[in-house]
Every structure is written in structure tokens, then in C-alpha cells.
Amino acid sequence: MSYDVAIIGAGPAGMSAAVRLRALGAAVIVIDEQPAPGGQIFRGIERNAASPVFPALGEDYAKGCALVAAFRASGAEYLPSTQVWQIEDGWNLFLTTERKARHITARAVLLANGAQERPVPFPGWTLPNVMTVGAAQILLKSGGMLPEGRIWIAGAGPLPLLYATQLLNLGGRIAGYLDTATTPKLSALARLPGAWREFGNLAKGLRWLRDVRRSGMMIKGFSDLRAEGEERLEHLTWEAAGKRHRVEADVLLVHEGVVPRIHETLALRCEHIWNEEQGYLAPKLDRWGQTSRKDLFVAGDAGGIGGWMAATVSGEIAALGIAGQLGIAANPDDLRQAAHLDQRRARALALRPFLDALYPPPRTRLADDVIACRCEEVTAGAIRSAARNSPADPSAVKAATRCGMGPCQGRQCGYTVQALLAEVHGLPIGDVSFFHIRPPLKPITLGEIASLEHAEGAA
């Protein structure tokens, strides 16, 4: 099958791009790993609209109903529960749905596959019942599930506050909130005036903070957090005011911000830019969202963290850029101006510089015995040892330790390895490369590959 545009991801960016492209007459296919459209922010929204959890998920969540309805009505071909495991030049895409592989082609590809939570290893982070806030929110939106027992949240940024508020609104309880945010620096305060353009969202965050503080214990100014237990999480310890504190815990939810998903753009050899303030790589994009590879575009958080409103606008911008490049629309600049897309995006991003300065990524030194690579159970000490005997190259560390060879291909350890290499060699983190991403992009069975041959033979 051949299409004008293949969109990977049915979140805010992917859906808004599909709606715009279909209105312009493009043949569009949207491929998404989830069973229903919405992405992470609007996950399960069609089902949850009639659920008791819907009001607790907040006003922003409810705003996704109109976008999902517009996407459903757009006429774009939609492949849910489908995994893209390889993208090749000429824009050949290899997919798997229900364990059956298929191959499609497209004139252009739009990556709208969002972000992932930043992995931040610490002692005990691999214990059962230690999970990310984002994972807990997936359980809430997908099945209305809430954690039980003595629930602790540790992290910084808007998402932990939002989830804590959602949990409280649904009758849940929080044993304690460990705020890892640092004291605001002058750089953050200097950006506060620009954030007033989004006063509504700023006020909303302050309300979340107030509600969490009222709910119970909020702890700041601590260090050396540890999750401990035999076969599962049993208690937490941390250092504060010269004393070691210890509490019982059944669940720990952690979060230290989000980073763009870059495995696809890395695998396709796109140019990337290092974001020093937030400590992540993002593909270099032009004003339409096109990468350094012709006809390969990125929209939404996959191109740099901006939030769902900015993602929606960037999806429209990328759609117009693709339509102009493919000759589907003769006047993309006029359409962009008529829809006030640049003004809307500036408004949606008004709060972002303040948040980026307020919540920098943690820069703590990992102890040698902390597991850095979950897939292969490689410790920070083993990575340091390999780094001392090799150049500042993650491929050398991978060869020596198997770090990054697991199913995640470095999604959970890539930035940690990068930081450890920079530490050992005395380099800025941004000067150290990321893992070389090899095909397939996602795990695939031999049976799925064999089914691809049968499908092509039948065609």
C-alpha cells in the first residue's frame, strides 16, 4: 500500500496533522501503538468520557474529545495497536499488527510519537512497586486503576503534581510527597514575566501544589533517596538535616521530567541538537518541522518538549509543510498565516522557558553499585570501568558491558551512559554521542518477519 503521508503516533500532534492533511486531500495513514487515539495525554478518552474518572482527570483532558472526534471523522486510515519496527529510505515502513507484519510506502513521513519519561537511576529503582508517575497515570486512564497502600511520590515538575491531584480527587491518599525540585534560580525568576501570558496554566499549577501540601507531608531539601526491600519495595530512606530518615512504603512513583523520543530520528541519521538546560537531544528542524532528511518531519514533543497545546499546533504546521512540499497545497505560507499558527504556538509555549529553568534535570552522581542498564543489569561502576579503558564512545561501553543491547535499545540507559562517559573523560555531556541505534527499532519475532514474506507473496 502506498500513501502520500504516513504519520507515526495518534497523539495531539499526529491527530491534528492528519485532520489538516485530509482536509487538503492527502492520502494519509496514521500508525499508533495504542489501541485507541489520544496519545498519552488523551489516552482512553473515548472510553473514559462516560466513566467516573473523567471529571477527576481535569479540564485539559476533556479538551481532547473534540480533537479525537475530528480525527475519527477525517477519513485518515488508522492502524491502532500497530508497531513500526523499521523505516527505510524511500520511506518504506515495516509494521506489525496482531503478530502479522506488513510493508507500506509513503511520499513523506511525520514522526509524532511524543516523549518518554526521563530515566533517573537511584538505589532501588528496579524493585517491584517502584514505577514512574507516567506509568501510574497510564493505569488510571486505561483502566481506572489506583495504587493502594502507603503511596509515596518523588519527583519534580507539573506531572507529579497533576497525578497527585487526580489521585486525591478520586478518593486516594498519599503518604508523602518528596519534592526533588531545586531552589528556583534567578534564571527561572527572570522568565516569570513571560509566563504570565499563560496565567491560567500557571495558576492551575499553583492550585495543584496547594492541594498536595494540604493532603499531607511534603518534604524538600533532602538527598540520597533509596528504595529498599527484599523482594519488593518495603521502605524509603533519605538524608536531610544531617539525619537519615526511614519510612514504610508500598508504592513509590518517581518522575524527573520528560525527553523527546529520538530513536527513530537517530536511526535515520538526522541531525540533532543538544538542549543543555534540559539535558536531552532533539532533532534539528526547520520552520515546518522537517528534519535534515528530506520529506521526514517531526511534530509535537518528539521535536522538543512543549506540551499538548504546542503539539497540536506543530502538527498543523508540519501538515502544511508536507502538503506544500508534495504539491498538495500551493500556498502553505498563506494557510499558516490565516490560521494564526505561529501566534498560537508562541502562546502555547509561553510557560515553557519558565518551567525548563524551574525544573532542571538532576545532576547527582550515581554510586557504583546502582544499576544503570535495567535490561542487562549493568551497574554504573561497570560502565565507569569500561569508560576508563575506552574512548568517550557509548559503542565501546556497549561492546564491553552489553549496556544498551536489551529490548529498549538504550531508551532507559542512553542518557545515563552519556553522563557517565562525560564524567569519566571530563567532557560536557552534550559532547558525548548517544548510542548508535540499529534495526529493528522495536523487538520483533522471527514469526512476524516470516509473515511479512507471506504477505508480500500474496500481494
Side-chain angles (χ1 to χ4, degrees):
M1 297 295 293
S2 183
Y3 302 86
D4 291 321
V5 186
I7 299 174
I8 301 175
M15 289 190 294
S16 63
V19 170
R20 174 66 80 155
L21 282 163
R22 286 294 302 140
L24 294 169
V28 178
I29 185 168
V30 179
I31 307 152
D32 191 52
E33 295 183 357
Q34 305 308 321
Q40 171 60 4
I41 184 69
F42 300 134
R43 181 185 293 270
I45 193 167
E46 293 169 307
R47 181 190 62 253
N48 288 334
S51 166
V53 307
F54 191 76
L57 293 175
E59 295 179 1
D60 280 348
Y61 183 74
K63 292 175 182 176
C65 290
L67 180 56
V68 172
F71 170 66
R72 290 284 196 186
S74 70
E77 185 173 342
Y78 172 48
L79 290 181
S81 302
T82 299
Q83 185 169 272
V84 177
W85 48 269
Q86 182 60 0
I87 305 172
E88 295 180 353
D89 291 346
W91 306 135
N92 295 284
L93 285 74
F94 297 86
L95 328 170
T96 295
T97 308
E98 296 180 349
R99 300 185 179 181
K100 300 293 184 183
R102 62 183 291 193
H103 163 236
I104 67 170
T105 62
R107 297 170 65 196
V109 172
L110 173 60
L111 298 172
N113 45 357
Q116 68 170 70
E117 286 184 273
R118 182 196 310 277
V120 182
F122 63 94
W125 74 305
T126 59
L127 276 174
N129 287 9
V130 178
M131 58 194 298
T132 66
V133 172
Q137 198 177 57
I138 288 174
L139 293 174
L140 172 59
K141 292 177 179 178
S142 298
M145 291 180 281
L146 296 175
E148 297 181 349
R150 292 157 295 200
I151 303 162
W152 285 78
I153 297 176
L159 183 59
L161 295 173
L162 169 61
Y163 178 77
T165 303
Q166 293 169 339
L167 182 64
L168 295 171
N169 289 341
L170 289 167
R173 298 183 63 185
I174 300 171
Y177 190 106
L178 294 157
D179 187 355
T180 62
T182 57
T183 303
K185 297 181 179 179
L186 289 177
S187 59
L189 299 177
R191 297 178 185 182
L192 188 56
W196 287 108
R197 294 178 62 191
E198 272 296 291
F199 176 76
N201 285 328
L202 194 61
K204 183 166 52 182
L206 292 173
R207 288 196 301 272
W208 295 341
L209 184 60
R210 178 201 63 194
D211 292 345
V212 172
R213 282 176 171 166
R214 286 178 176 176
S215 71
M217 180 166 46
M218 176 173 274
I219 298 164
K220 291 181 66 69
F222 67 95
S223 61
D224 194 23
L225 173 66
R226 296 173 177 264
E228 299 176 350
E230 292 299 324
E231 296 183 359
R232 56 175 294 276
L233 175 67
E234 295 174 359
H235 53 265
L236 305 173
T237 68
W238 64 84
E239 190 83 20
K243 293 177 58 179
R244 194 78 196 166
H245 299 261
R246 184 177 184 272
V247 296
E248 294 183 339
D250 296 304
V251 177
L252 173 63
L253 307 177
V254 297
H255 178 83
E256 291 291 354
V258 294
V259 295
R261 285 183 56 171
I262 55 172
H263 268 51
E264 290 78 6
T265 48
L266 286 173
L268 291 167
R269 303 292 186 269
C270 297
E271 292 182 36
H272 287 72
I273 299 172
W274 177 252
N275 184 315
E276 179 63 33
E277 187 168 51
Q278 280 293 301
Y280 64 65
L281 283 167
K284 183 179 180 181
L285 307 176
D286 69 10
R287 62 188 292 266
W288 296 103
Q290 186 170 220
T291 69
S292 55
R293 297 288 307 275
K294 188 175 183 293
D295 297 329
L296 178 66
F297 290 72
V298 175
D301 282 351
I305 305 304
W308 75 268
M309 287 188 291
T312 302
V313 179
S314 73
E316 288 192 62
I317 291 172
L320 293 179
I322 293 170
Q325 188 144 300
L326 298 184
I328 296 170
N331 54 347
D333 276 296
D334 292 343
L335 294 171
R336 180 173 181 159
Q337 186 174 356
H340 307 290
L341 294 180
D342 293 302
Q343 296 93 320
R344 286 165 53 196
R345 181 164 64 177
R347 175 70 180 271
L349 292 172
L351 192 57
R352 183 55 46 182
F354 173 68
L355 293 176
D356 286 349
L358 187 64
Y359 298 117
R363 304 289 190 186
T364 53
R365 187 183 189 277
L366 281 184
D368 278 346
D369 61 348
V370 174
I371 290 176
C373 172
R374 299 182 69 134
C375 297
E376 300 294 334
E377 297 187 340
V378 181
T379 65
I383 294 170
R384 285 191 180 101
S385 178
R388 293 187 189 103
N389 297 305
S390 70
D393 182 357
S395 296
V397 171
K398 178 189 286 189
T401 66
R402 294 189 57 83
C403 184
M405 288 188 180
C408 84
Q409 283 210 66
R411 289 175 178 86
Q412 295 297 311
C413 64
Y415 285 118
T416 302
V417 171
Q418 197 178 13
L420 289 169
L421 280 166
E423 172 198 306
V424 169
H425 290 275
L427 297 170
I429 299 177
D431 288 354
V432 179
S433 64
F434 202 85
F435 282 126
H436 175 66
I437 308 304
R438 300 179 181 276
L441 295 168
K442 296 290 182 68
I444 181 171
T445 67
L446 291 175
E448 289 167 352
I449 295 174
S451 72
L452 175 66
E453 182 179 358
H454 296 319
E456 291 186 340

